[in-house]
Amino acid sequence: MQVARVLQSYLDGETDEVTARRVSAHLEDCRRCGLEASVYQEIHNALARRTEPDSQAVGRLQAFGASLLSDPPTGDDDAEHGTTPPTGT
């Protein structure tokens, strides 16, 4: 399963029960996705409170995004996150 493709829907409560269980299990085992999910939740909760999100949470989210752009894909973990580079010439 490519968690990166369904994470936002999962966090918004828009996935079916089977997908939600699979993503939840993955988040428990994958530090990278767990961090992304927790940062999203912090920002989501702040917006729901109509307050400014924690600046450290925003910084972590920005760093995570930057790491996605700069880290070269390696191994099966990247395929699971949907970050495998396209094939072809």
Side-chain angles (χ1 to χ4, degrees):
M1 175 170 57
Q2 294 184 347
V3 173
R5 293 185 184 200
V6 297
L7 185 57
Q8 190 70 45
S9 295
Y10 166 79
L11 293 170
D12 289 337
E14 298 173 346
T15 57
D16 60 77
E17 186 176 330
V18 172
T19 301
R21 281 190 296 222
R22 290 179 71 195
V23 172
S24 178
H26 177 78
L27 291 176
E28 289 179 22
D29 294 334
C30 178
R31 183 174 184 264
R32 182 178 183 173
C33 289
L35 178 60
E36 182 178 359
S38 66
V39 169
Y40 171 84
Q41 283 300 127
E42 170 63 30
I43 292 169
H44 180 268
N45 292 341
L47 292 172
R49 293 187 307 265
R50 297 183 189 265
T51 62
E52 188 171 323
D54 177 57
S55 61
Q56 290 180 343
V58 173
R60 288 191 306 269
L61 183 58
Q62 289 171 331
F64 177 76
S67 75
L68 291 177
L69 296 173
S70 64
D71 287 347
T74 58
D76 294 334
D77 191 44
D78 290 318
E80 190 167 305
H81 291 92
T83 58
T84 303
T87 57
T89 55

